[in-house]
Amino acid sequence: RIFNLGVKKILVLQVLGQVFMKKPFSDPFEAIESYLQKYSLKSNVDSIIIDFHAEATSEKNALALHFDGKVSVIAGTHTHIPTSDTRILPNGTAYQTDLGMCGDYQSVIGMEKTEPIRRFITGMTKERFRPAEGEATLSGIVVDINNEGLANNISPTLADVKEAQIWLSSKIGIKSKDGVDTDYDISV
């Protein structure tokens, strides 16, 4: 989907991994390639953000290295726990293997902790998982993207909801540096 933010066009793609996933999905490499035949940085979009929802870190890393320099951001999702490999790849793509979840971090992947812990200890199911009701946390990355559509900077963020609301209200969308429309921040 293309989002128009002011004069900037941002293509956001969401693809599903194949390794360790229960259902066979379309090849994510092929799916992205088909979009890159229609859209490219500095041509008809200003940035390309890919949400790669996959289980295997190796598959996420391979996809990121394959598309390095062709897209602005590749952010992995699915495992609920943020990874500490936030970086800019050699050709300018911002990357993190997994952003983590937005939810209660005093839980087991967003679920009230009692039943999941009991299952790990006993190996038996007693009741359904229930969503945790504790304080929510926002987990993600902030990427500074230049006019070439590639990353100048990437930083992880992990904040409670109150902090995140204040931060998002000041950061989300486009911001002009020094009053000139040259660089912009996109929050994922």
Side-chain angles (χ1 to χ4, degrees), residues 65-139:
L65 294 170
H66 182 73
F67 291 107
D68 180 22
K70 297 177 184 176
V71 301
S72 311
V73 178
I74 297 176
T77 58
H78 181 63
T79 62
H80 295 84
I81 304 298
T83 55
S84 63
D85 61 340
T86 309
R87 65 191 186 275
I88 298 174
L89 299 173
N91 294 316
T93 296
Y95 174 70
Q96 183 169 319
T97 300
D98 204 288
L99 298 179
M101 69 173 186
C102 296
D104 181 359
Y105 270 74
Q106 298 305 313
S107 68
V108 176
I109 65 169
M111 297 293 127
E112 197 283 323
K113 63 187 173 188
T114 306
E115 178 62 10
I117 291 171
R118 196 190 65 66
R119 285 187 196 184
F120 283 119
I121 293 169
T122 67
M124 297 170 51
T125 300
K126 182 178 179 183
E127 58 186 58
R128 294 179 65 116
F129 288 166
R130 293 186 325 263
E133 296 181 9
E135 189 68 32
T137 299
L138 173 72
S139 181

